[in-house]
Structure formats: structure tokens, C-alpha cells
Amino acid sequence: MARTSPLCRERRDRREGDVSFSFRIVAQQPDTSARAAAMTTGHGEVHTPAFMPVGTQGTVKTLSPGELEEAGVQIVLSNAYHLYLRPGTEVIEQAGGLHSFIGWNHPILTDSGGYQVFSLADLNMVSEEGVTFQSHLDGSRHLFTPEKTMSIQHDLGADIIMCLDECTNYPCSRGEAQASAELTLRWAQRCRQAHARLNAVQDRRQALFGIVQGSTYADVRAHSARALAEMDLPGYALGGLSVGEPKTAMYEMIDATMPYLPADKPRYLMGVGMPEDLVEAVSRGVDLFDCVIPTRNARNGSVFTHQGQLVVKNAEYARDFQPIDAACGCYTCRHFSRAYLRHLFQAGEILAPRLATLHSVHFFMELMKQMREAILEGRFLAWRREFLHQYRGSLKNGDQDMGAQRNPFIGGEI
Amino acid sequence: MARTSPLCRERRDRREGDVSFSFRIVAQQPDTSARAAAMTTGHGEVHTPAFMPVGTQGTVKTLSPGELEEAGVQIVLSNAYHLYLRPGTEVIEQAGGLHSFIGWNHPILTDSGGYQVFSLADLNMVSEEGVTFQSHLDGSRHLFTPEKTMSIQHDLGADIIMCLDECTNYPCSRGEAQASAELTLRWAQRCRQAHARLNAVQDRRQALFGIVQGSTYADVRAHSARALAEMDLPGYALGGLSVGEPKTAMYEMIDATMPYLPADKPRYLMGVGMPEDLVEAVSRGVDLFDCVIPTRNARNGSVFTHQGQLVVKNAEYARDFQPIDAACGCYTCRHFSRAYLRHLFQAGEILAPRLATLHSVHFFMELMKQMREAILEGRFLAWRREFLHQYRGSLKNGDQDMGAQRNPFIGGEI
């Protein structure tokens, strides 16, 4: 890869630090690393800590953009891998970009597709150049290089775009974790350069985030974070977590990484998670999250309440005329009973996953809002104690088998 | 059946003519039988001519009650057969009735279940007493008598309830049509008496409509209509049409029936229909309609426009960034392109049938509203000419095979 000239370098740096993206910490909770911030993008501000519902294929499954707005969603995640394969990047570019295509005039983050290539696609083969894979839709062969994923994400036009990374499975050996983290670093450098070249032609004011890897090895993660931080990217993500490791390992890896990420940049924990994980990670200084849990579980008849998860499709709710969560003000809880939801699930009605998803997304948004307000008012520690006490004194066990194979509404979100 | 005493009879008549149900004609189009009316029920007024979206299992498939309201829906149809089998009449009664259970605080009409027993259930056996059938869900055996269907519909609590009828197939012999129409008349008399007895205990202010049968035999329909009219019910329906007979036969049967139905009572054409059928039937004096066409076709990717049906899931719309119908003001047309709809259908996303259904229900509501306004302003004939000219110069042929078997969103509505 040719070195960039000092002039190009300056130009690129200026563009990467474009006024259209900024991150400003507005409060810090003493005795924790929790902070509240304002993240500005070309499509508006995101108040962090924030949770991004997952809109894999250009729609947060079952919900309309209007419903997302009403639930308080500030930013959604979408997926370069899926959109590249279907409907194709050109269609979305012709539509005027992803915001216009999906009718969402607020911030969007696109993942590079690295995670999907490794988890969904067939026959993926990694080389220094990139990853070759077969589409999970039609078996067609494709090559994702760092440069290619930048080009795709440039065309899609999300406000935040992600570097191509290699996501390791759990467990993985120290050697594999090191090799994978190193490859991810080299790819990040190439992404940074490709992004700068694309911006030199047409600057879409996108913020490129790097991704820390290193599996469950604290020193590998520390090294990965340090090296990424030197690239001076506008934000950093923790990848390769929530892939099967124990929760304690996940918390340890967050702790091992945080000291090496610049405090004045956003930190994004990818693919997390359960409400208790969000609380723990916010305590440790994470600002941004995405996860399929609220939406996928809802489609499967399991919804979140302040007392834990509740499998509303179960027979025990057939004559329960209470709302899902009496403390919730969402459209579902204002208008419908658990008995009606249970009936809709039994009858296989599309309104079932719709109303359940609407509730759970609202629940996650309220959770983030409560954390932010607690941080702003300096009472996050007390809030956390109370929330976890109530939540863990759970009505239902959230870890039961959801019978995902038998449910027609599930579909794929990753 | 014991005769009712004169006192009981007076009481029943008073209740059947309860102030909570009334029908008042507000305009009549000269040179046609088209009229505009106000039908008052215990849950509000319906401005006719009106179309009822079908909410078979207590939900108009894919839509929320809020969306129905926004689309201008005044009254929905639901189904005694389906709700009796699942979730069970008692659950809905415990919930405070159907309106409360499904979160729809506007008028509801329930069909008796006669049509479903004959079309969906297994092994149905008709006798003078009623019809014995096996549930299409679990094979359990049930008997629907006129009295039983009144009791079920009383417990559900819809504003308009329907007599149990026997719906003939097409074609059917004159002898079968006569026998079936006579049985339906005897059942109507028993429904009327059972309804009165239930009201004597607790009057739920429901209007009982009778159903004219007689297949495609004009004289049989005329006899059926005359005999029903003598029962002095608050409204009358034309059943057994739109079951495969030619459109001309359907229009002839409407013409053959109308003279015998009291002009000051609502007339409801069951299971109809396509936009052109609605226009033709309104011209002939019909006030009320229901049909699965807008919702079922939408779930299958076919939507209605002022230029005819458009199969938005087809490949030709992959890069069509226009709305479904530029003349439409619905949420779907205000925010999304045909290309996005096509993508959502391709990707199997629940938002696809949602947005398509929302549009088509809105289209049907606008159609009825336009007809009513034209009648009120005495320009229905000109409106009809213009609408049919534009609609029949159709973009797409609406009679194509929709491939119902391959579509995951279809489900059953009847």
C-alpha cells in the first residue's frame, strides 16, 4: 500500500475529524467509568449511553420507522453484508442512500459485514487480502477486502461505518487470537486509507470506527486497543465478545481494553446485550450498544419487563388481562393485554411479533434513558442497585430455550 | 319452540329497535339506487357506503387498531367461528368483550360462522337442528345451532351480529338453492327468538342482520328476501355471492333481491369485493361490504392503485423509486418507494405485508369515501364513469395467479 503524502494526510485527518461528527462528554458518574455524552452525526445527535436496534436488511424487523421514532430510538444499525447481497449496493445508492431508501432520517451505523461473513456465509477463506465467501442466499462467490467494505459502506452512506475485522470464535487459542487481532489491525489501517481516498472524491461525512479484537486474552486486547488508538479514529468498538464466553470474561475484557481507548472518543460494545450486561458495560465506560436480543426474543414471544423476561406466548397468560409491564407506557402496554398477545401468538398473527417487538424496543430505550438521566444527576450507582435488584428478582428465567426453530417469525438478524 | 307472550314480544321488538342502532339515509343519487347513510351503533357511527376490513381472528392481519383508525376504517368484521375455537368465547367475555380484547373501540360486526363451517371445517353435517363440524385446528367436534351462534355472538358483544345461514356452493341446483334458502329462513327465525331471549337477560344492544340466500336463482332470492323482510330485522345481508359465479350473475342477483329489502334498512353484500364490484353494488343500493381481497392480496405483494393492481414484489420494481400510488396519501406512499417494498418482500420482512396492507386498506377506505362524497353531491354517475375508466385502463391485470401457496404471509382470513 503506497504511503500517503503529508498533504493528503492532513486533508484526510481534517475530513475524519469533520464537523459533522463529534463526541462531547456531558457528565461522568463518580466512582464508576459511566458517562453521558452527545454524539453528533450528519443526521442528528445521539444521546449516549445508547442502544441501537438491529435493522439487518434495512428494517428493524416488524417495526416501521415511525414506531422506532415513537419508541425513542436515536440510531439504528444496518448491515453491509446483507444489503450488498440484497437488494445490492447500487440500488440503495440510486435511491439516494440508505437513509432515503429505508425512510429513516436519523443516524445509522453500518457494520462492515465481517461478522456476517464468518457466521453466515459458506466456505469463507481468509487471506491477507481479505475474505472470500459464498453468499448464504444463492451460493455466489464474493471477496470482501478492507477496501471493498469501505466502498460498499461509502455507497450506503451510513453516519458511522465500521472497519472490516476478523471475529474469532470462542474458545480460541492465544496464537489464533493474536494473529486475528494483528490481521484486524492491518485491515483497519487499509480501511482508514481507503476511506480517505473515497472521501477525497466525495466526502459523505462518515465516521469510521475501528474494532478491538483479541478474544478473551487481556494483553492481546490491550495491544489491539493501543494500536488502534494510534490511528486516531473517531470511535472504537469492542468486537468478538458475547460470542459464547462467560459473562465474567466479557466484563474482564471490557476492563482490560478501556484504559487504552481514548476517553474522549465513543466506545461501542458490539452485539451486547441483555439488560444487565448493558448496565455493567455502561458502568465500565461503554457508550454504544447493538444487539438482536430485544427484537429476536420478542418475535419468539419473550418480552422484557422490569421484573425480567416474560414468555407472553405461554398458556399461563391465556386469561391474564394485565399489560405486559404495568410500568411501561408503550403502545402495546397502553392498549393490549397479555391474553391478547398470547392469542395473537397462538393464532400466528403478524400483529403478535409487532406488538411484542414494539414493547421490548421501548423497554430497551427506556433503560438507556434511565441510565443517562441517572448519570446526569449523579445517582447512577443507586439506580443500578435498584434496577438490578428488581430485574434479577426475575419473574421468569430469561435463559430458557425459546424454541427458535419452531417459530415462523424468527428470521435472521445477524 | 315455545311461542313468546305478547309482553315479551313487545319487549323484544323494542330492544331490537334499540336506540343504540339506527340507519338514516342522508342522500340518494338520482338515476341509480346509490345512497349515503349514517348507521349508528353502540360504538359509534358508520358513514355508508362502507367497507369492513376483515379481522378474522380478532386482528386485521398485520395492522394495529391505531393504523386502522388512521386509514379511516369505521367498522371491522370479525368471526364467531374462529374466535369460538381460539381463544374461546369465555376468554373474550372475561376480557370485557371483543372490543376491549382487541383494543378496537369502534363498531364491529361478527359473522355467525356459517360460511366458515362450510368452507374451512372438516366433515360438516347439516340437519334441521344445525351443523355439526370438526375444528380445522384440532379436529374436535362441535355443533352450531342458530341458538348457539346467537349465544356466542352475544358473548363476543359485536355491534352487528349475523344469523346462521347455509351458504351454497356455485354452481348448485334450483332444488338445493331452494332447500338451503328455506333452511336459512327457519334458522333466521330461531336466531331472532334466541337473540330476544338473550336480550331479556342482558341486552348488549346488538343489531341482528338476516341473510338472503338462493344461489343464482332470482326467484329464490326474491322469496328469501321477502320472507326475511317480514321478520323486521334491523338489517339484511346478501350471502352466497362471490363464490365463483360470473360477475354478471352476481349483479343480476343484487338486482333481483333489492326490491324486496326495505329501503330504510342497511343492505350488506357479504364477501365482496374488487373495487369495480364495490362501485357496481353501490350503484345498486348496497351500503356495506367486507372482503379479504385488499388485505390478502397485499400480503401477497399485490396492491391496489387508481390504475389497477400492481404486483409490487415483482422484479420490475427493483429500481422503481416512485411510491405505490402517487395519488395516495397513506403512510406507505408518503415514506417508501416501490423498490423498498420489493426489497422487503424479497427479504421476507414482516414490514413488507404491513406496508402493503396499510396502503391497500387506505385505498379501499378512500374509494368508499369518494363514493359517499359523490352521492352527497349528486355526482356519483360522473364519478363512477371517471373512476372505472381510469381503473380499468389498468397498469396490471389483477387476475393473475398470486402464488398463494408459496407466500409465508398469507395465512387464512375466511
Side-chain angles (χ1 to χ4, degrees):
Chain A
M1 209 58 51
R3 279 180 178 266
T4 51
S5 74
L7 183 65
C8 278
R9 196 181 169 81
E10 186 193 298
R11 186 169 170 192
R12 185 189 60 213
D13 287 347
R14 185 170 48 78
R15 287 180 181 276
E16 278 175 0
D18 197 295
V19 287
S20 65
F21 187 85
S22 70
F23 184 76
R24 185 171 52 86
I25 294 170
V26 294
Q28 181 86 42
Q29 172 67 46
D31 304 323
T32 73
S33 296
R35 71 254 191 100
M39 184 171 77
T40 304
T41 78
H43 286 87
E45 207 164 65
V46 177
H47 294 143
T48 67
F51 181 88
M52 300 182 281
V54 176
T56 304
Q57 304 192 102
T59 160
V60 174
K61 287 189 186 299
T62 83
L63 299 185
S64 71
E67 286 166 336
L68 293 172
E69 284 170 356
E70 256 179 68
V73 172
Q74 307 177 76
I75 174 170
V76 298
L77 176 145
S78 198
N79 207 285
Y81 168 85
H82 286 280
L83 297 174
Y84 160 81
L85 291 179
R86 185 174 58 197
T89 317
E90 317 73 33
V91 169
I92 293 173
E93 202 190 3
Q94 272 184 34
L98 190 54
H99 296 85
S100 165
F101 186 61
I102 71 172
W104 177 252
N105 197 24
H106 306 287
I108 301 176
L109 179 149
T110 45
D111 195 1
S112 69
Y115 182 74
Q116 286 68 36
V117 167
F118 293 107
S119 56
L120 279 182
D122 293 323
L123 293 176
N124 62 71
M125 280 194 331
V126 183
S127 68
E128 186 64 31
E129 187 187 10
V131 53
T132 306
F133 62 94
Q134 284 193 296
S135 160
H136 72 290
L137 297 176
D138 62 7
S140 56
R141 291 184 75 84
H142 304 267
L143 168 65
F144 268 13
T145 61
E147 293 76 17
K148 175 84 179 171
T149 61
M150 285 300 99
S151 166
I152 295 169
Q153 291 185 82
H154 187 86
D155 290 345
L156 295 176
D159 303 280
I160 301 174
I161 64 179
M162 303 300 298
C163 287
L164 183 66
D165 61 330
E166 189 190 28
C167 182
T168 48
N169 293 320
Y170 177 83
C172 100
S173 73
R174 161 175 292 271
E176 284 170 334
Q178 278 173 325
S180 178
E182 288 297 337
L183 180 66
T184 296
L185 284 172
R186 293 192 298 277
W187 283 358
Q189 195 59 266
R190 284 167 57 190
C191 282
R192 188 171 179 270
Q193 290 163 350
H195 180 52
R197 282 194 300 274
L198 290 165
N199 280 348
V201 179
Q202 183 182 9
D203 189 349
R204 299 199 193 256
R205 307 191 161 204
Q206 299 173 290
L208 173 65
F209 281 24
I211 305 178
V212 175
Q213 288 288 351
S215 188
T216 47
Y217 302 96
D219 58 331
V220 183
R221 291 221 167 241
H223 169 71
S224 172
R226 256 193 312 256
L228 270 181
E230 279 172 21
M231 295 186 206
D232 193 25
L233 295 164
Y236 299 94
L238 285 77
L241 292 174
S242 199
V243 293
E245 78 283 2
K247 276 186 195 291
T248 48
M250 176 171 82
Y251 300 149
E252 279 165 25
M253 289 307 107
I254 300 172
D255 288 335
T257 307
M258 284 304 178
Y260 305 100
L261 294 179
D264 61 347
K265 300 281 178 76
R267 299 144 171 183
Y268 161 31
L269 179 56
M270 305 180 84
V272 174
M274 294 293 282
E276 62 271 30
D277 297 334
L278 302 178
V279 174
E280 293 296 342
V282 165
S283 307
R284 289 165 166 79
V286 175
D287 306 297
L288 212 51
F289 302 87
D290 83 277
C291 190
V292 299
I293 280 183
T295 44
R296 178 179 293 169
N297 287 11
R299 292 202 302 290
N300 210 2
S302 179
V303 289
F304 286 85
T305 78
H306 286 89
Q307 284 78 38
Q309 279 193 75
L310 179 152
V311 186
V312 73
K313 72 174 177 186
N314 281 354
E316 64 188 292
Y317 301 112
R319 288 160 193 263
D320 185 337
F321 301 106
Q322 300 172 81
I324 291 172
D325 188 338
C328 178
C330 79
Y331 178 75
T332 303
C333 289
R334 288 200 318 274
H335 292 91
F336 308 100
S337 64
R338 295 170 178 182
Y340 184 57
L341 268 284
R342 141 89 181 161
H343 164 63
L344 293 176
F345 272 107
Q346 282 295 105
E349 289 286 355
I350 281 176
L351 192 57
R354 272 193 64 180
L355 293 180
T357 303
L358 197 58
H359 166 77
S360 283
V361 167
H362 190 274
F363 180 88
F364 270 59
M365 292 305 119
E366 277 300 302
L367 175 63
M368 301 314 287
K369 197 173 149 199
Q370 280 176 27
M371 281 199 269
R372 184 179 160 88
E373 284 170 3
I375 295 165
L376 289 174
E377 294 166 15
R379 53 178 177 75
F380 178 74
L381 285 170
W383 177 89
R384 183 177 71 175
R385 199 163 42 242
E386 198 184 332
F387 174 83
L388 292 177
H389 174 74
Q390 197 184 358
Y391 188 81
R392 286 181 174 149
S394 173
L395 260 182
K396 303 286 146 204
N397 177 355
D399 291 329
Q400 52 210 293
D401 170 26
M402 297 289 166
Q405 298 316 310
R406 294 186 305 277
N407 189 300
F409 301 128
I410 280 296
E413 258 166 337
I414 63 169
Chain B
M1 208 60 48
R3 279 177 176 268
T4 50
S5 73
L7 182 66
C8 278
R9 195 179 169 83
E10 185 193 298
R11 187 171 169 188
R12 186 188 61 215
D13 288 348
R14 184 168 50 76
R15 285 178 184 279
E16 278 173 1
D18 197 294
V19 287
S20 64
F21 186 86
S22 69
F23 184 75
R24 186 170 53 85
I25 295 170
V26 293
Q28 180 88 42
Q29 171 67 45
D31 303 322
T32 73
S33 297
R35 72 253 192 99
M39 184 171 77
T40 304
T41 78
H43 287 86
E45 208 165 62
V46 177
H47 295 144
T48 67
F51 181 88
M52 300 181 282
V54 176
T56 304
Q57 303 192 104
T59 161
V60 174
K61 288 188 187 299
T62 82
L63 300 184
S64 72
E67 285 166 337
L68 293 173
E69 283 170 358
E70 257 179 65
V73 172
Q74 307 178 75
I75 174 169
V76 298
L77 176 143
S78 197
N79 207 284
Y81 168 85
H82 286 280
L83 297 173
Y84 160 80
L85 291 179
R86 185 175 59 198
T89 317
E90 316 72 33
V91 168
I92 293 174
E93 202 190 3
Q94 272 183 33
L98 190 55
H99 296 84
S100 165
F101 186 61
I102 71 173
W104 176 252
N105 197 24
H106 306 288
I108 301 176
L109 179 150
T110 45
D111 193 3
S112 69
Y115 182 75
Q116 285 69 34
V117 166
F118 293 107
S119 56
L120 279 183
D122 293 323
L123 293 176
N124 61 70
M125 281 198 326
V126 183
S127 68
E128 186 64 31
E129 187 188 10
V131 51
T132 306
F133 63 95
Q134 283 192 299
S135 161
H136 71 291
L137 298 175
D138 63 6
S140 56
R141 292 185 75 84
H142 303 268
L143 168 65
F144 267 12
T145 61
E147 294 76 17
K148 177 82 180 174
T149 61
M150 286 300 99
S151 166
I152 294 168
Q153 291 185 83
H154 187 87
D155 290 345
L156 296 175
D159 303 280
I160 301 174
I161 63 178
M162 302 301 296
C163 288
L164 183 65
D165 63 329
E166 190 191 27
C167 182
T168 50
N169 292 321
Y170 177 83
C172 100
S173 72
R174 162 176 290 274
E176 283 171 335
Q178 279 175 323
S180 178
E182 288 296 337
L183 180 66
T184 295
L185 284 173
R186 292 192 298 276
W187 282 359
Q189 194 60 265
R190 283 167 57 190
C191 281
R192 187 170 179 270
Q193 289 163 350
H195 181 52
R197 281 193 301 274
L198 289 165
N199 281 348
V201 179
Q202 184 181 8
D203 189 349
R204 299 200 193 255
R205 306 191 161 206
Q206 297 172 292
L208 173 65
F209 281 24
I211 305 177
V212 175
Q213 288 289 351
S215 187
T216 48
Y217 302 95
D219 58 329
V220 182
R221 290 223 168 241
H223 168 72
S224 172
R226 259 194 310 259
L228 270 182
E230 279 172 23
M231 293 186 206
D232 193 25
L233 295 164
Y236 299 95
L238 284 77
L241 292 173
S242 198
V243 293
E245 76 285 0
K247 276 188 194 289
T248 49
M250 178 172 80
Y251 300 150
E252 280 166 23
M253 290 306 106
I254 300 173
D255 288 334
T257 308
M258 284 303 180
Y260 305 101
L261 294 178
D264 61 348
K265 299 283 177 74
R267 297 144 170 184
Y268 160 30
L269 179 57
M270 304 180 85
V272 174
M274 294 292 281
E276 62 272 29
D277 297 335
L278 301 178
V279 175
E280 293 295 343
V282 165
S283 305
R284 289 165 165 80
V286 175
D287 307 296
L288 213 51
F289 302 87
D290 83 278
C291 191
V292 298
I293 279 182
T295 44
R296 177 179 294 169
N297 288 11
R299 293 201 301 288
N300 210 3
S302 178
V303 289
F304 287 86
T305 79
H306 285 90
Q307 283 79 37
Q309 279 192 77
L310 181 152
V311 186
V312 74
K313 72 173 176 185
N314 280 355
E316 64 188 293
Y317 301 112
R319 287 160 194 264
D320 185 337
F321 300 108
Q322 300 172 80
I324 292 173
D325 188 339
C328 178
C330 79
Y331 178 75
T332 304
C333 289
R334 288 200 320 274
H335 292 90
F336 308 99
S337 65
R338 295 168 179 185
Y340 184 57
L341 268 283
R342 142 90 181 162
H343 164 64
L344 293 176
F345 272 106
Q346 282 296 105
E349 288 286 354
I350 281 177
L351 192 57
R354 272 193 64 181
L355 293 179
T357 304
L358 199 58
H359 166 77
S360 283
V361 167
H362 190 273
F363 180 88
F364 270 59
M365 293 303 118
E366 278 300 302
L367 175 63
M368 302 314 288
K369 196 175 149 198
Q370 281 176 26
M371 283 200 266
R372 183 181 161 88
E373 284 170 3
I375 296 167
L376 289 174
E377 294 165 14
R379 52 177 179 76
F380 178 73
L381 286 171
W383 176 89
R384 182 177 68 177
R385 199 163 42 242
E386 196 185 333
F387 174 82
L388 292 177
H389 174 75
Q390 195 184 1
Y391 188 80
R392 286 180 176 151
S394 162
L395 260 185
K396 300 289 144 199
N397 177 354
D399 291 331
Q400 53 208 292
D401 170 25
M402 298 292 167
Q405 299 316 309
R406 295 188 304 277
N407 188 300
F409 301 129
I410 281 295
E413 257 166 337
I414 63 170

